[in-house]
Amino acid sequence: MEKLMVEGGHPLYGSIHISGAKNSAVALIPAAILADSNVSIENLPKISDVETLASLLEDIGGSVTYDGTLMSIDPRSIIPMPLPNGRVKTLRASYYMMGAMLGKFKRAAIGLPGGCNLGPRPIDQHIKGFEALGAKVTNEHGAIYLRAEKLTGARIYLDVVSVGATINIMLAAVKAEGRTTIENAAKEPEIIDVATLLTSMGAKIKGVGTNVIRIDGVKELNGCAHSIIPDRIEAGTYMIAAAAMGKEVLINNIIPDHLESLMAKLREMGVNIETKDEQMRIGTSPELASVDIKTLVYPGFATDLQQPVTALLTRAQGTSVVTDTIYTARFKHVDELRRMGAEIKVEGRSALIHGKASLQGAKVKASDLRAGAALVVAALMAEGVTEITGLEHIDRGYEDLEDKLLALGARVWREELTTEEIDQVKSS
Ligand code: EPU
């Protein structure tokens, strides 16, 4: 077990390249199950969630070759084997195995998904969609069993705008008989990315990126090659780090449109941002103004950037209010930021951040992926050395975090935990 050591206070200067989007990758890999021949996916991020999904596909008979950024999946030998336990429970996105297996085999048995603990994360809308398509869904000893004689297109209204439910219903519906309409669908770029892959396989999907998606079922889906879009949340995290400590940071391989809401808020704080094609430049921001932020579904401000931006706002002049309307309990990072000297109060679904805090290096623990990102941003600003444990969360979603930070001039390194520290981490 390791900890990340960050010596704060060093300005960031240089350029980095953004990896492929984690939240696309974790849906695209299960989507390959639906094909009748080889699917190759390029620009994959080197993160543990990708490795976990690849091994899940192998567990059910898939043949996977993976060289770090390119994965080739031959799904022809996959069988609808139950996956009630083990690795499926380590990441939330394993729920995409439900839609893909149901779509292909008309049955699936998958353990209830794990992943970041951000408060209640029900999957009732996924199940509502599967049932509308004709599946019988039961929960047996902590695993979801889906069985259908046949899948028939249906009109499905999502009661909650959900990324996962929108993608999962698409996966199940592409081979259903007739037309499926998903109303109140989510519009995130990762959904468009998944629909692009499915369309290359031969699926008939219209309306992705709007709140009504229409899918006309097809009998067969062929293999294809697909390249993943850049990770807007990884890019956003480095934008926030650059706003915190940047002197001159170039962020390459981005789609600026996907980052509009974050750019708007950073500019409101006084951050100097320029974009050109697939590149962004962030200059020095000597003084930051406080802002209020509310997370919303895309294209609103992403909940995944709420935690890192909260860390940044400890540097701003005045008090900021950050409200998370998507995950109302996504505030586990706040206690850790307080250990570093931040003045933050959580009231209901809002964090009130009193700025101008002088953060100090401390021993802190990442409770989830983006909490880890928030601690890294805070550590870059803090005086002294911060020791961050819980790296398994950060490694789920950030490729080569240290190398990218080192390229920007940060002082970061990993150290092995002592036996005593391992005991402390386990008991905290
Ligand atoms: N919800 C329901 N019922 C459902 C599904 C969702 O009530 O059946 C609620 C959730 O509890 C939440 C809201 O709807 O309050 C939105 O959840 P959504 O389904 O959109 O989230 P998700 O698909 O489980 C994905 C990302 C998350 C990201 C959210 C919101 C993946 C694998 N995960 O989760 O990413 O926070 O969308 O944008 O795509 C992360 O990357 O750190 C992360 C947690």
Side-chain angles (χ1 to χ4, degrees), residues 22-23 92 95 122-125 162-164 304 326-327 370:
K22 160 188 165 282
N23 288 344
R92 183 155 180 85
Y95 56 36
I123 55 163
D124 56 302
Q125 298 304 306
S162 158
V163 175
D304 296 339
I326 311 288
Y327 294 116
R370 310 300 173 189

Side-chain angles (χ1 to χ4, degrees), residues 244-258:
M245 291 305 292
K247 210 165 155 201
E248 166 101 3
V249 172
L250 291 177
I251 305 177
N252 296 312
N253 192 36
I254 56 153
I255 298 178
D257 274 3
H258 294 173

